[in-house]
Amino acid sequence: MKNSELLEIIWALKNGEIIAYPAESVFSLGCDPDNDKTIQKLLTLKNRSWEKGFILVSDNYDKLTKYIDDKKLTKFQKRIISFHDTFFPRTWVVPAKKCVSKLITGKSKSIAIRISRFEYIKNICLNYGKPIISTSANISNDAPCRTKNEVAKKFNQYIRTMNGKILGNFQHSIVQDLLNGYLYRKR
């Protein structure tokens, strides 16, 4: 990844743009989780209901504490969140702080979060200084994009796309409730 390209992605996030970036299993779309106007654009672009909410992805736990009601979590649960497996990523559903936008939490009082060490996600979050929204690069109910070319064909000029390749061809992340163990999405 070129440093100039990373700077362009960070600039885009700071200026309320939607980005596309390689993730573990597919290309993802993302934006600043504190910019409701851009989140609304993302919902429109994907033809997605606000009621579903989004995943926040970060390179570390500390950047997520602005969004997580971590007073409701034990030290052990916080360590579980911080554990990451690049090849088999896991998204955790945890209590959200009341101040978190409904565009992120949807109809829930919880928020979905994932810690990632995948180089593209890690570099974006390290350089941006906060988590970003992570959702598959697709229109709702369509197959997700797995290459930069697919993203360009589907979304054309609407987003800034990062060069790179997804990690592998495995399935999406498991989505699990941290408090009760419920599996929202299996492999």
Side-chain angles (χ1 to χ4, degrees):
M1 170 183 358
K2 294 179 183 175
N3 197 34
S4 60
E5 181 183 26
L6 182 59
L7 291 174
E8 286 181 24
I9 291 294
I10 301 306
W11 182 91
L13 288 166
K14 288 181 179 180
N15 286 282
E17 291 185 28
I18 297 167
I19 62 167
Y21 56 93
E24 292 89 352
S25 60
V26 297
F27 258 76
S28 290
L29 300 177
C31 66
D32 186 316
D34 298 317
N35 188 329
D36 278 358
K37 185 177 177 183
T38 306
I39 297 170
Q40 189 60 57
K41 282 192 233 176
L42 181 58
L43 287 166
T44 301
L45 186 65
K46 284 185 59 87
N47 193 28
R48 179 184 173 119
S49 168
W50 71 271
E51 295 175 336
K52 286 183 165 186
F54 284 109
I55 295 170
L56 291 188
V57 65
S58 181
D59 61 309
N60 69 53
Y61 178 82
D62 291 339
K63 287 183 180 126
L64 293 164
T65 58
K66 176 182 176 183
Y67 309 92
I68 298 170
D69 188 354
D70 69 348
K71 292 176 184 171
K72 295 182 179 177
L73 302 177
T74 66
K75 287 181 184 180
F76 180 70
Q77 289 169 327
K78 292 174 189 177
R79 277 185 283 192
I80 289 172
I81 292 170
S82 295
F83 176 78
H84 52 84
D85 186 333
T86 302
F87 291 101
F88 300 103
R90 186 174 301 261
T91 297
W92 295 105
V93 176
V94 298
K97 285 189 175 170
K98 291 180 182 176
C99 62
V100 176
S101 171
K102 290 292 179 197
L103 297 178
I104 295 173
T105 61
K107 294 191 319 183
S108 175
K109 292 181 181 181
S110 300
I111 187 167
I113 59 168
R114 187 173 84 244
I115 307 279
S116 178
R117 294 284 186 247
F118 188 48
E119 78 173 292
Y120 300 105
I121 296 170
K122 183 175 118 180
N123 285 331
I124 292 169
C125 294
L126 274 171
N127 287 279
Y128 194 45
K130 63 197 279 187
I132 58 173
I133 285 181
S134 180
T135 183
S136 57
N138 66 324
I139 307 298
S140 289
N141 300 317
D142 285 353
C145 299
R146 297 179 61 81
T147 66
K148 182 179 179 182
N149 287 341
E150 289 178 17
V151 172
K153 286 178 187 174
K154 188 159 297 224
F155 297 106
N156 200 5
Q157 75 278 10
Y158 297 109
I159 56 173
R160 189 174 305 263
T161 305
M162 178 179 254
N163 285 308
K165 294 185 178 187
I166 62 174
L167 183 60
N169 60 4
F170 53 83
Q171 298 292 319
H172 47 72
S173 68
I174 292 171
V175 179
Q176 186 171 9
D177 192 298
L178 184 64
L179 299 184
N180 64 25
Y182 180 78
L183 283 172
Y184 292 96
R185 185 171 72 188
K186 301 176 185 179
R187 269 216 172 75

